[in-house]
Each structure stands twice: as C-alpha cells, then as structure tokens.
Amino acid sequence: MSSVIASARFSVLDRSRTREGHSGPEALRDTVRLARELEELGYHRFWVSEHHGVPGVAGSAPTVLAAAVAAATRTIRVGTGGVMLPNHQPLVVAEQFGVLESLFPGRVDMGLGRSVGFTDGVRKTLGRDKGDAEDFGAQIDELLGWFRGASPTGVHARPAEGLTVPPFVLAMGEGATIAARAGLPMVIGDLRGRDRMRRGIDHYRQHFRPSAWASEPYVVISGTVAVADTPEEARRLLIPEAWSMAHSRTRGTFPPLPPAERVESSTMTARERDLYESGLGGHIAGTEEQVAGELETVLKETNAQEVLVTTSTHDRTALLDSYRRLAALAGLAGPTDPAGTDPAGTEGDGAARR
C-alpha cells in the first residue's frame, strides 16, 4: 500500500439521496445504517448535508440527522457537510452544535457552507436572497464568537459557550479565502476540476492565518470515488448521479436516483447525452489498483491530509461494497478513535479531536 494513501484520513459525506422506488424516510434510515457500517470499516468521520425543497434529497435538517447518526454509532466523528450558514442565524447554529457536542462529546464536527437556497422559491420562503452569501465570512466570525462568549450583545449561547466544536469551511468560490483568513480547516472539491482545486488549495495555504482553531492549514479534498471488481462495474455506480445531474441541468429539477439499467436503456436528447457523459468523467473510479493509483496521484498533487468521499448511487449494496474495497486499499482498521492525534496541529480544547 502507498505510504501517501496510508497517511491520509478517509471520511464520507452521505447526501441522503432519494432513489426511485424508495421513500425519503427510507433514504434517511439508509444514511444512519451506512454510518454504522462505515464506522466498523474504520472511516474517520461521517457527514450529512443540507438541501431544501429538492425532490432528490431527503436531508433537509443536517443537525437533526447528525444527532440520529451520532446516537446510532459509538466512535466515528459525526458532522455536517455542511450547514449552509447564510440560511440560518449564527446563534441558532451555535446552539444546535452546542447541544450535539454536549450529547456526544468529542465526536462532533461543524462543516459550514455559504450556499443559499437551491431555488428562488426556497430562498424566498427562507427569507433569504443570493446576496446573503456575501456575508459568509462575517457569519462565521459571529458563529465562532458564540462559542467563545465574545458576542457584544450580552446574549449567551447555551450550551455552546465554552465548548469546542471543530469548524470546517466548505470552500466553493470565495470559500478558500474565507477559510484562510479565519484560520480554519478547508474542505474543497470536486475531483473533476483538479486544476481549479489545486489553485484553491495553493491560495488557502499561502494566505492561511493561524487561529485558536487551527495552527496550520488542514486540507480535505472531496469527490466521488467508486471501487469495484471491474472498471465497467465502477462506472455503473456513477450512472444514476450523472443522469440526475443532466436531468437537473436540462429540466430544472433534481430527481431521485434511477437504477443504472434504466438510464442505460433510456433515450436522451443530444444536450442531455453530452451532460450525462460529462457527468461520468473526472471521478476516481475503477478497480482497487486503478483507484489506488489515482488516489496516490491526487494526494501527492494536493498534499491533502484527508479525503471526503461523496459517492451517491441507486444500488446501496454496490455502494457499501465500494466503501469496503476503498477501506481495504486505504488500510483502514476500525472502528476509529475520535480522540486521535490531530495532524493539523490545532490548538485549544479541540486540538486532539479533529
């Protein structure tokens, strides 16, 4: 096994994607079940996402789902990838994570993103608009201030104040600059845009300012990884998501994941076909040997400390098999210890917990 791969952490973000023939509640239960299975395989952390009003995603309340995941597991770190901070008041987010950390001490991560609702209708219902994303940096400062008891309002976030919940910034667009300025770990993707990803990582490292949360840069690269017996089987894992993305780009809605065989027999317009084929490319997919080679390359190119795998597909059995194969080639041996040494060298109460 490559020493580069062996030195990296491997984690998973599950988006609670709904599937044709299966309900939203079932998707949420699948997420919790997958977390238990990945804990046994030795993955470092398990994150859930936030989407509102999207037919293809059941995960609309990430801190609630994170609580269910944490209650169903014992050692794996649990968090959000992420809470979309512009959608919420920072005080409420601090309170929610304070509750999570109080219930599951030493296991909770706070992944934060800057996206605002998926559609105009969702944004209007949330009382937000696209401009709210421009205040992301100030929102992070306010959120972290609630944990430090630094609010000038005289209000105190209970039970968050005094607790340390490791924050991560999901770096899309301006996210790398914000993460560097705040001195926070950064999650960046996706693997299909390697040049752009490397530029974002370089910018982050060059402008990083040490903080109470992290003494040096910490980079998590995220994207789809699929491992199977053959390249063809690995590619089939990618088909449902690629088709759903093509459908959303051409028809304006993001649908549940279809079975791969239905997609393979379906008729597409020329534009749909182009988007679909594009959606199949650029991921890390193949046999164990092929995936190991690609992972070693991207880890050497980025010097990332961690890989956050974001694979979604219709066939959950094949998905779990892919994660098993990835765990084996990465040399994972779980369950993991959430209190392990932090390679980022962070300071403060959370130093040994990232």
Side-chain angles (χ1 to χ4, degrees):
M1 178 177 49
S2 162
S3 61
V4 175
I5 294 175
S7 64
R9 286 170 164 168
F10 284 81
S11 301
V12 171
L13 165 65
D14 190 74
R15 292 192 174 90
S16 302
R17 292 285 274 114
T18 56
R19 299 176 291 152
E20 286 186 5
H22 302 267
S23 68
E26 185 176 354
L28 297 174
R29 293 191 292 269
D30 284 342
T31 292
V32 175
R33 184 180 305 111
L34 181 63
R36 288 197 299 264
E37 293 164 332
L38 296 182
E39 178 178 69
E40 293 303 313
L41 292 173
Y43 284 88
H44 182 59
R45 64 180 104 244
F46 186 91
W47 282 4
V48 297
S49 63
E50 174 183 339
H51 295 82
H52 300 283
V54 180
V57 184
S60 57
T63 54
V64 176
L65 184 52
V69 169
T73 54
R74 298 174 294 110
T75 59
I76 195 169
R77 296 196 63 85
V78 177
T80 56
V83 164
M84 296 300 134
L85 197 50
N87 289 338
H88 311 280
Q89 292 296 330
L91 170 61
V92 175
V93 175
E95 290 171 336
Q96 291 173 347
F97 279 98
V99 170
L100 283 171
E101 176 64 20
S102 299
L103 292 172
F104 309 101
R107 292 180 57 204
V108 177
D109 299 323
M110 185 167 57
L112 307 166
R114 69 189 294 267
S115 296
V116 192
F118 187 64
T119 65
D120 289 338
V122 169
R123 288 190 289 270
K124 182 177 180 180
T125 303
L126 291 172
R128 299 292 189 267
D129 59 44
K130 291 182 178 180
D132 288 308
E134 302 306 313
D135 297 326
F136 184 48
Q139 292 159 355
I140 287 180
D141 290 342
E142 180 184 343
L143 171 61
L144 299 183
W146 290 115
F147 287 92
R148 296 303 195 207
S151 173
T153 64
V155 175
H156 297 271
R158 311 291 189 195
E161 189 172 310
L163 299 179
T164 299
V165 181
F168 295 73
V169 173
L170 276 61
M172 304 299 290
E174 294 299 313
T177 298
I178 293 168
R181 185 174 64 240
L184 301 180
M186 178 183 73
V187 182
I188 188 167
D190 63 33
L191 295 170
R192 290 178 297 173
R194 304 284 177 88
D195 290 341
R196 181 183 179 189
M197 185 173 68
R198 284 194 296 268
R199 288 195 300 271
I201 292 171
D202 290 344
H203 179 87
Y204 167 70
R205 290 197 173 111
Q206 290 166 8
H207 295 86
F208 183 86
R209 300 177 183 175
S211 71
W213 302 93
S215 61
E216 60 185 41
Y218 188 85
V219 175
V220 183
I221 55 174
S222 68
T224 296
V225 180
V227 195
D229 249 344
T230 66
E232 293 75 23
E233 290 176 9
R235 183 180 183 276
R236 293 192 89 243
L237 284 168
L238 309 178
I239 286 174
E241 185 77 19
W243 181 88
S244 290
M245 291 298 295
H247 188 280
S248 70
R249 294 280 301 276
T250 55
R251 306 188 189 186
T253 60
F254 197 64
L257 295 173
E261 54 269 22
R262 187 177 75 73
V263 176
E264 290 173 321
S265 63
S266 65
T267 301
M268 302 183 197
T269 66
R271 175 161 169 74
E272 284 174 332
R273 177 65 63 180
D274 286 345
L275 290 168
Y276 167 67
E277 294 293 344
S278 175
L280 291 172
H283 306 291
I284 295 179
T287 63
E288 282 93 334
E289 183 178 2
Q290 290 171 324
V291 168
E294 289 195 55
L295 279 174
E296 182 172 13
T297 297
V298 73
L299 286 168
K300 284 180 176 177
E301 289 175 350
T302 61
N303 290 314
Q305 290 98 327
E306 187 169 342
V307 179
L308 181 68
V309 183
T310 62
T311 310
S312 296
T313 194
H314 185 277
D315 187 339
R316 300 291 288 193
T317 300
L319 178 65
L320 180 58
D321 180 66
S322 175
Y323 281 128
R324 284 198 185 105
R325 292 171 184 269
L326 178 60
L329 72 86
L332 305 187
T336 59
D337 177 6
T341 301
D342 172 19
T346 54
E347 301 170 345
D349 295 339
R353 300 207 322 253
R354 181 159 302 127

